[in-house]
């Protein structure tokens, strides 16, 4: 069972907000004792998801939590927006798929960088993406 | 808006990115650098990212763009000081920095640029003032 130890909500409405978000995540990750490589992976993943949220959904909210499961500690991030949603998630998760004339690296790359990745999206309602990076994950 | 300073050192341009990058800032750096290369006829561009704790797909792509545009303008680009954790993350993310040379630090980067570039024959001693 995953137990949240503490939580904080961060609004992402403009590009500069992502810098604040990165710093908050860094602080949380440091508290869990996470090493630099895992921290870097987590923050990079968050940067990708925050950009997607801004670009495709006009912004949203991120819940930043330190969590524990058994003896393992980590950071859980929940990205929530009320944008257009993703009609075909399997397609969006493929390397190279982009509706934004981009590289299509964000979602599949993010999944590779974190320990756990969950995406729920309803067209017309929005998208919720949850990632966890375990301290030793 | 914030701006990242570009330093001119003889035939080279030097950029040290000290602030945290967000997308628009990175894009304006790209535009400024390319303009400066064409204006000054610089033969090399050195970008120091040692202060960057992350490089994500967007910033990586901007660096790639700078390198390929500079190439067209006959200038080589070297990225120096990438933290090992950043390099590991970029690979896992799936981003290759194609056409971008990398070096450990500014000094090594300068050496690398010098080997890549055939400078017009002239006295370059005036560069020494800046190189410390
Ligand atoms: N929060 C979101 N709301 C709506 N659509 C989204 C959202 N996030 C991603 N998408 C859709 O999923 C596609 C794939 O996203 P992904 O981040 O993998 O690639 P990209 O953003 O297009 O390119 P890159 O991240 O490489 O710049 C996007 O092109 C977009 O259509
Ligand atoms: Mg993306």
């Amino acid at each position: 069972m995953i137990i949240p130890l503490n939580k904080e909500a961060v609004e992402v409405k403009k590009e500069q907000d992502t810098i604040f978000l990165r710093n908050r995540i860094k602080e949380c990750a440091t508290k869990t004792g996470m090493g630099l490589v895992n921290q870097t992976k987590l923050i990079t993943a968050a940067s990708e998801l925050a950009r997607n949220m801004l670009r495709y959904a006009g912004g949203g909210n991120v819940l930043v939590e330190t969590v524990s499961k058994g003896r393992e500690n980590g950071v859980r991030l929940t990205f929530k927006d009320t944008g257009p949603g993703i009609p075909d998630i399997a397609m969006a998760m493929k390397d190279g798929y982009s509706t934004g004339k981009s590289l299509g690296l964000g979602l599949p790359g993010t999944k590779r960088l974190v320990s756990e990745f969950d995406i729920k999206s309803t067209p017309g309602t929005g998208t919720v993406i949850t990632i966890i990076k375990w301290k030793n994950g | 808006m914030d701006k990242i300073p570009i330093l001119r050192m003889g035939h080279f341009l030097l950029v040290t990115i000290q602030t945290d990058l967000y997308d628009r800032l990175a894009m304006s750096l790209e535009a400024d650098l390319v303009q400066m290369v064409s204006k000054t006829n610089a033969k090399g561009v050195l970008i120091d990212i040692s202060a960057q704790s992350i490089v994500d797909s967007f910033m990586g792509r901007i660096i790639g763009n700078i390198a390929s545009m500079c190439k067209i303008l006959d200038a080589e680009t070297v990225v120096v000081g990438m933290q090992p954790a950043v390099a590991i993350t970029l690979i896992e993310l799936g981003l290759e920095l194609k056409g971008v040379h990398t070096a450990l630090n500014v000094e090594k980067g300068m050496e690398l640029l010098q080997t890549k570039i055939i400078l017009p024959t002239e006295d370059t001693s005036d560069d020494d003032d800046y190189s410390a």
Side-chain angles (χ1 to χ4, degrees), chain B residues 3 6 12 26-27 33 35 44 50 55 60 65 72 75 79 87 90-91 94 101 104 108 120 126:
Chain B
K3 226 169 173 41
I6 302 171
F12 301 146
M27 280 164 75
L33 248 182
Q35 204 172 30
S50 55
V55 171
N65 287 350
I72 295 169
V79 170
L90 270 181
I91 291 168
H101 308 294
L104 222 51
K108 291 264 190 305
D126 60 333

Side-chain angles (χ1 to χ4, degrees), chain A residues 25-111:
Chain A
I25 297 169
K26 172 114 198 152
E27 225 165 274
C28 268
T30 306
K31 257 189 237 152
T32 67
M34 192 184 289
L36 186 62
V37 172
N38 278 348
Q39 279 191 24
T40 306
K41 288 180 181 180
L42 174 67
I43 297 168
T44 305
S47 189
E48 294 293 336
L49 295 179
R51 174 175 303 105
N52 279 353
M53 212 160 70
L54 282 168
R55 188 186 292 179
Y56 304 111
N61 278 287
V62 185
L63 188 64
V64 181
E65 295 170 296
T66 35
V67 291
S68 78
K69 185 170 95 177
R71 304 164 131 231
E72 187 67 302
N73 284 329
V75 175
R76 176 166 70 185
L77 305 173
T78 309
F79 291 75
K80 194 172 184 177
D81 68 61
T82 52
I86 303 171
D88 189 339
I89 291 174
M91 196 71 132
M93 289 305 299
K94 279 204 184 118
D95 270 311
Y97 175 81
S98 172
T99 62
K101 294 201 182 90
S102 198
L103 293 181
L105 272 182
L107 289 178
T110 295
K111 190 172 180 185

Side-chain angles (χ1 to χ4, degrees), chain B residues 4 44 93-94 103 107-108:
Chain B
I4 297 162
L93 188 61
E107 201 184 338
K108 291 264 190 305

